[in-house]
Amino acid sequence: MKIYEGKLNAAGLKFGIVISRFNDFITRKLLEGALDALKRNSAAEEDIAVAWVPGAWEIPSAAARMANSGSYDAVICLGAVIKGATAHWQYISAQVTRGIAAVAAGASVPVSYGVITPDTLEQAIERAGTKAGNKGFDAAMAAIEMANLFKELA
Ligand code: INI
């Protein structure tokens, strides 16, 4: 029996990060978490590229560009869609999630999902480096593991 399992070693791997500026007091924390995960697992600073987009809506198209560029071993998507008074956030969070899933399914490199969609600001803070961990860190760890898995499967 052959078992494939991606290692948690980011040395020599190249990462593209797409991050939205909307709610940047939260997304910057997700970015800190993602960079922490990459660097702790031996990614080199010069092997990490960060692309800022205006809001979460813009993440899938930028992620597709990065994923299809051939320049990265994995792409990490970071954003924060926080529930608001109108249904706007709902449309955005659903479409962004679908959009990233579609990019991930069609790309030859892994695309990880570090977009949080909390109901409250408090929940957003919890998921960006406090009580509930850091979803940016988690997304980067998934990207490292999947990048190594894809290399094994290739
Ligand atoms: N973008 C976000 O990243 N998070 C949000 O919570 C949000 N809300 O709620 O409006 C949001 N809107 C902007 C959107 O992503 C686009 O940037 C904008 O519609 C322009 O295309």
Side-chain angles (χ1 to χ4, degrees):
M1 181 170 61
K2 177 96 178 108
I3 295 175
Y4 296 97
E5 207 167 18
K7 295 186 298 287
L8 283 175
N9 178 10
L13 297 178
K14 293 186 170 24
F15 296 89
I17 299 178
V18 183
I19 178 168
S20 56
R21 204 173 289 112
F22 204 104
N23 293 325
D24 79 317
F25 60 104
I26 294 294
T27 62
R28 282 179 195 279
K29 293 287 175 198
L30 298 176
L31 179 61
E32 274 177 27
L35 294 175
D36 184 34
L38 295 179
K39 288 176 188 170
R40 275 211 234 172
N41 289 285
S42 308
E45 181 106 29
E46 63 270 22
D47 287 339
I48 304 170
V50 179
W52 286 89
V53 295
W57 180 264
E58 283 75 29
I59 291 175
S61 54
R65 289 260 171 161
M66 277 190 145
N68 297 325
S69 68
S71 303
Y72 306 102
D73 296 294
V75 174
I76 300 159
C77 300
L78 305 175
V81 185
I82 304 173
K83 187 173 179 177
T86 68
H88 192 63
W89 67 275
Q90 206 174 339
Y91 301 130
I92 291 173
S93 57
Q95 289 308 324
V96 169
T97 302
R98 269 191 214 105
I100 294 173
V103 173
S108 57
V109 298
V111 177
S112 72
Y113 179 75
V115 178
I116 59 169
T117 57
D119 286 343
T120 65
L121 195 52
E122 194 184 349
Q123 285 176 357
I125 293 165
E126 281 176 8
R127 294 169 199 182
T130 58
K131 275 194 269 181
N134 186 311
K135 299 304 172 199
F137 185 99
D138 297 346
M141 292 298 286
I144 297 168
E145 182 175 341
M146 290 297 287
N148 282 301
L149 178 68
F150 275 29
K151 286 195 185 300
E152 277 198 40
L153 294 177

